[in-house]
Amino acid sequence: MTQAYSLYEGSFSVDASKAFVPFDPAKDDPLSRKGSIFVHVHPFVIVSENGLILCDTGLGFRNAQDELLLHQNIRKLGFEPEDVKCVLMSHLHKDHTGGMVDFKDGVARIAFPNAEYYVQRGEWEYAFSGDNPSYRTEIFDVIQRSGNLVLLEGNGEIDHQISYEVNGGHTPYHQAFHIHVGGEHYFFGGDVLPEPEEIFKNFIAKYDYDGRASRDLRKQYWEEGRDNDWTYLFYHSKSIVIGKGQKQEDGSYRMIDVSK
Ligand SMILES: [Zn+2]
């Protein structure tokens, strides 16, 4: 049984300005958002005996009580934000970093005070270099001062449960994580593997730093993981969010939903 849960933050339309506008598929007409792409945002939490492990942190949107949706969703699962011990960051684009910090009543606090935040050093430096609307540096200032930041270099292990590898593709120093909890092998590919559909079409994304590299990595992750019982976590999926490869009678594979 999976110990991973989506902390679904919502669906959004994004246009050339890179602003994320909430979009409700049940009420809003996609044709009214011309020139926009539609994205779904699923940060993940994995329940381990050493505390909660978070995979990316969403946009940082808040509920009517001015609480981070991320905090609300963690409480709905029966935990507290203080139970998070480990925040794994694939990269630092703003739809992944908004919930690293809790901005409330004009005060910015670290959102998970008992956690170490694991960021690849090259990504951290890239985020500060240049004026890129995909990055919100006011978040990084809070993280830098918090004392909770751990900068990773290249590939390695955080502990016996978690390993990381720089896979690039989406940003020059994007990283992926392998997380071994409860006998399961979770794979969080961040925005190199954001939704299952991209595995099955020969897709080169405009929003990638190196779209060809991402495409080739997706194929590689699928071929390796489907045979080794990986559980895939898809951050931007509109269909299967937590999935596994399953061999069919004709020898082909398909992705099955294992979120329940
Ligand atoms: Zn991104």
Side-chain angles (χ1 to χ4, degrees), residues 75-170:
R75 291 191 170 109
K76 271 190 199 160
L77 289 170
F79 300 100
E80 289 298 321
E82 289 74 18
D83 298 329
V84 177
K85 296 291 155 59
C86 199
V87 179
L88 306 177
M89 299 300 304
S90 66
H91 68 302
L92 298 175
H93 282 160
K94 65 183 177 186
D95 53 324
H96 295 253
T97 54
M100 294 172 92
V101 170
D102 188 3
F103 291 97
K104 192 168 187 174
D105 304 325
V107 183
R109 293 184 183 84
I110 187 138
F112 302 99
N114 296 332
E116 310 256 47
Y117 286 62
Y118 294 94
V119 177
Q120 187 65 220
R121 181 184 295 277
E123 176 70 15
W124 179 261
E125 287 166 0
Y126 185 75
F128 279 104
S129 66
D131 193 15
N132 186 331
S134 294
Y135 291 104
R136 283 178 63 196
T137 49
E138 74 272 21
I139 288 175
F140 311 144
D141 294 337
V142 179
I143 298 297
Q144 192 162 33
R145 278 186 279 108
S146 70
N148 298 41
L149 174 66
V150 179
L151 291 174
L152 303 173
E153 314 252 3
N155 303 347
E157 282 184 358
I158 291 171
D159 55 28
H160 68 283
Q161 292 187 126
I162 304 167
S163 66
Y164 52 93
E165 61 191 39
V166 178
N167 56 354
H170 183 63

Side-chain angles (χ1 to χ4, degrees), residues 222 226 244-249 251-256:
W222 173 234
R226 67 188 183 191
K244 275 190 186 193
Q246 190 186 64
K247 197 168 191 173
Q248 306 301 293
E249 278 178 10
S252 67
Y253 287 81
R254 66 186 189 102
M255 188 72 69
I256 58 160

